[in-house]
């Protein structure tokens, strides 16, 4: 078998066998198949697609290109959530301790942000001392004592994905449904979980710009997960508006603490509660979503979810003093007119945060954890001319001045607002 035969077969639109996919992924991981051949293969997949069977085989091979956590090593029912990412999406920080407080074990291996969408690890690193580079032993210890752990991908977890993603990033082959599916699912399924809930976002601030694209990706993800014998469900959620009132790493952790203390913005709370409820119901912990929600709200109100979060942060070296770095310049963004906030463009909020230094344009950029935007007005809220639409946090005058018009453009003031459901559908 030669790699070029496999590339040619895919280029001509034919279905590959399990053996051919195994040969390709193994050779690429070990280095016997060079980047240029794998890039040609990725481009062939981009144009010709893959059948569900091929996508499942690619996921399986990428997942087994490294270590796969043996589920028997972890206590109880193991469940996780994956989000395709969005502006102000900080649900993982609340959901992991919340699900653990309700009885699940949550082994969450997360990523960093690139472009406008922030990464869970970047947010957690705003907590002084918090370590996202746990060894396997430390990861298991944290899971055993706290019921949840959020850490980064080790070199041993799905190494084929790490290599292939870097190649796709520079060859125009990221937006391919089968490649995205295999990439996401190979990492998540290597965690040794029983249940996976997928938050597939669509809209201006998301990877998928239309609900149809999000639905197609959700269906592919659910199909592969189910094929691998897991309990999988996807929710299609709206990412035209930012989630919550803050975007930026330390500001977002503060907002998570607000929710864990019984307050916080309604949209963030509603989505986190629903995602956690689906996790619990799909795992069989509660017979229906209503019972699951009841227990979740109790764990938020009685402080048990907060205790779980504090235990995880402490176990991973973080300080629970919550003394985050503060930005030197903090300026309100004034409303240009009286009216009702009719839209907040998530993409522009993300771009403004990127200019401030809250995210990275290249993988090796450093992040300023203190900067971002907070106290954002939400669609439907009334404002008077000059009222603050939000507060901008910066450590650099020039960056503040550059980002200000972007944030200004993100807020639309009108006379009415048409509410849209945050969760539009579910795919099981
Ligand atoms: N996230 C991933 O992990 N992989 C992709 O291909 C796209 C988004």
């Amino acid at each position: 078998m030669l790699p070029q035969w496999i590339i040619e077969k895919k280029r001509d639109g034919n279905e590959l066998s399990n053996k051919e996919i195994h040969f390709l992924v193994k050779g690429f991981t070990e280095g016997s198949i060079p980047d240029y051949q794998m890039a040609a293969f990725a481009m062939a997949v981009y144009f010709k697609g893959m059948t569900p069977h091929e996508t499942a085989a690619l996921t399986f091979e990428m997942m087994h290109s490294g270590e796969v956590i043996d589920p028997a090593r972890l206590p109880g029912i193991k469940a996780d959530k994956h989000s395709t990412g969005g502006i102000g999406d900080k649900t993982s920080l609340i959901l992991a301790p919340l699900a653990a407080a309700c009885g699940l074990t949550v082994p969450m291996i997360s990523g960093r942000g690139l472009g406008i969408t922030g990464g869970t690890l970047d947010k957690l690193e705003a907590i002084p001392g918090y370590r996202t580079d746990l060894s396997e032993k430390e990861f298991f210890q944290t899971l055993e004592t706290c019921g949840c752990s959020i850490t980064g991908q080790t070199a041993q977890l799905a190494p084929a994905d790490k290599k292939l993603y870097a190649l796709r990033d520079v060859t125009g082959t990221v937006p391919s449904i089968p490649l995205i599916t295999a990439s996401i699912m190979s990492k998540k399924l290597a965690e040794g979980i029983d249940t996976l809930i997928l938050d597939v976002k669509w809209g201006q601030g998301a990877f998928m710009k239309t609900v149809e694209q999000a639905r197609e990706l959700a269906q592919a993800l659910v199909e592969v997960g189910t094929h691998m014998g897991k309990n999988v469900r996807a929710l299609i959620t709206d990412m035209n508006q930012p989630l919550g009132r803050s975007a930026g790493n330390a500001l977002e952790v503060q907002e998570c603490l607000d929710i864990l203390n019984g307050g916080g913005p309604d949209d963030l709370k509603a989505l986190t509660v629903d995602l956690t409820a689906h996790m619990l119901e799909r795992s069989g912990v509660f017979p229906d979503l209503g019972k699951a929600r009841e227990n979740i709200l109790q764990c938020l109100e009685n402080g048990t979810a907060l205790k779980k979060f504090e235990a995880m942060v402490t176990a991973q070296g973080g300080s629970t003093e919550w003394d985050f770095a503060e930005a030197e310049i903090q300026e309100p963004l004034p409303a240009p007119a009286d009216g009702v906030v009719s839209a907040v463009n998530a993409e522009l909020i993300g771009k403004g945060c990127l200019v401030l230094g809250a995210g990275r344009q290249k993988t090796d950029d450093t992040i300023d954890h203190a900067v971002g935007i907070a106290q954002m007005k939400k669609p439907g809220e009334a404002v008077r001319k000059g009222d603050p639409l939000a507060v901008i946090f910066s450590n650099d005058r020039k960056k503040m001045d550059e980002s200000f018009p972007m944030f200004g453009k993100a807020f639309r003031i009108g006379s009415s607002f048409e509410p849209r459901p945050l969760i539009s559908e579910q795919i099981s």
Side-chain angles (χ1 to χ4, degrees):
M1 200 182 300
L2 287 174
Q4 53 268 43
W5 297 348
I6 301 172
I7 298 165
E8 286 163 11
K9 192 169 170 185
K10 184 41 57 192
R11 180 202 63 195
D12 297 339
N14 297 308
E15 187 177 46
L16 303 178
S17 67
N18 290 358
K19 241 172 137 174
E20 286 164 330
I21 293 173
H22 171 79
F23 172 81
L24 203 67
V25 175
K26 189 167 184 285
F28 177 59
T29 311
E30 291 171 353
S32 58
I33 293 181
D35 282 1
Y36 57 82
Q37 282 186 312
M38 203 58 183
F41 172 73
M43 192 57 89
V45 172
Y46 176 87
F47 281 113
K48 298 294 175 173
M50 279 186 144
T51 63
H53 189 91
E54 284 175 302
T55 308
L58 183 63
T59 307
F60 180 87
E61 293 302 335
M62 289 192 359
M63 168 183 164
H64 288 280
S65 65
E67 280 173 12
V68 176
I69 294 175
D70 175 6
R73 285 187 63 188
L74 292 170
I77 304 170
K78 280 74 67 180
D80 195 7
K81 182 250 355 169
H82 175 81
S83 161
T84 55
I87 313 303
D89 181 8
K90 51 196 84 73
T91 54
S92 293
L93 275 65
I94 312 162
L95 170 142
L98 189 51
C102 293
L104 290 173
T105 298
V106 188
M108 191 180 276
I109 294 173
S110 289
R112 295 186 184 283
L114 186 61
I116 59 169
T117 60
T120 298
L121 300 183
D122 301 316
K123 299 181 211 296
L124 283 165
E125 282 173 356
I127 302 171
Y130 189 94
R131 285 183 48 221
T132 57
D133 60 347
L134 299 189
S135 66
E136 194 181 301
K137 190 172 162 216
E138 290 167 324
F139 185 49
F140 280 103
Q141 273 170 352
T142 311
L143 285 166
E144 271 156 24
T145 54
C146 309
C148 59
S149 177
I150 309 179
T151 188
Q153 183 179 358
T154 60
Q156 291 79 39
L157 191 110
D161 171 63
K162 213 169 191 168
K163 248 183 120 178
L164 182 57
Y165 191 84
L167 202 57
R168 286 168 56 212
D169 202 24
V170 292
T171 54
T173 50
V174 168
S176 150
I177 299 265
L179 295 180
I180 297 171
T181 303
S183 169
I184 292 173
M185 296 304 275
S186 62
K187 287 180 292 229
K188 282 289 156 186
L189 298 180
E191 291 174 348
I193 47 175
D194 307 299
T195 303
L196 179 64
I197 300 299
L198 296 148
D199 177 1
V200 183
K201 297 193 178 292
W202 74 276
Q204 288 156 347
F207 200 42
M208 296 288 154
K209 298 296 175 199
T210 68
V211 77
E212 289 76 21
Q213 289 172 334
R215 191 179 297 126
E216 197 188 334
L217 176 59
Q219 273 161 348
L221 291 165
V222 169
E223 215 162 79
V224 165
T226 308
H227 185 89
M228 302 272 197
K230 307 293 175 188
N231 300 315
V232 190
R233 182 178 293 159
L235 303 185
I236 309 282
T237 72
D238 182 65
M239 187 25 81
N240 288 290
Q241 327 284 341
L243 193 59
R245 292 184 187 272
S246 299
N249 300 286
L251 299 166
E252 292 191 49
V253 179
Q254 186 53 61
E255 198 162 73
C256 293
L257 288 169
D258 294 344
I259 300 263
L260 290 165
N261 278 296
D266 291 344
D267 61 339
L268 174 62
K269 181 169 175 179
L271 181 60
T272 311
V273 166
D274 266 30
L275 287 167
T276 316
H278 281 278
M279 251 169 111
L280 289 159
E281 186 260 343
R282 197 77 182 87
S283 300
V285 177
F286 294 107
D288 56 59
L289 290 170
K291 277 267 173 318
R293 280 195 196 98
E294 246 173 64
N295 274 270
I296 288 165
L297 292 173
Q298 247 175 34
C299 287
L300 280 176
E301 277 153 28
N302 65 20
T304 47
L306 175 65
K307 282 207 176 72
K308 285 275 177 197
F309 185 63
E310 287 172 339
M312 178 185 79
V313 169
T314 305
Q316 297 193 208
S319 157
T320 53
E321 297 289 316
W322 313 127
D323 47 0
F324 304 112
E326 259 200 59
E328 284 165 23
I329 317 170
Q330 303 184 8
E331 285 183 5
L333 178 76
D338 290 358
V340 169
V341 177
S342 56
V344 184
N345 183 315
E347 189 173 16
L348 286 173
I349 297 289
K351 285 183 174 165
C353 288
L354 204 55
V355 167
L356 291 172
R360 46 176 87 74
Q361 325 236 15
K362 299 186 271 47
T363 42
D364 55 355
D365 284 350
T366 50
I367 274 187
D368 185 342
H369 290 106
V371 303
I373 183 167
Q375 300 169 45
M376 275 185 277
K377 287 273 189 263
K378 304 291 289 179
E381 290 179 346
V383 287
R384 305 295 302 265
K385 186 176 175 183
D387 280 356
L389 290 170
V391 179
I392 319 295
F393 294 73
S394 179
N395 278 319
D396 183 309
R397 183 75 253 163
K398 247 180 82 186
K399 290 179 181 172
M400 172 68 97
D401 293 344
E402 196 185 330
S403 69
F404 221 74
M406 287 178 173
F407 289 124
K409 257 216 253 157
F411 288 86
R412 242 200 350 251
I413 311 293
S415 53
S416 64
F417 158 68
E418 211 41 63
R420 215 180 0 221
L422 192 53
I423 301 173
S424 53
E425 56 193 281
Q426 77 178 51
I427 293 167
S428 291

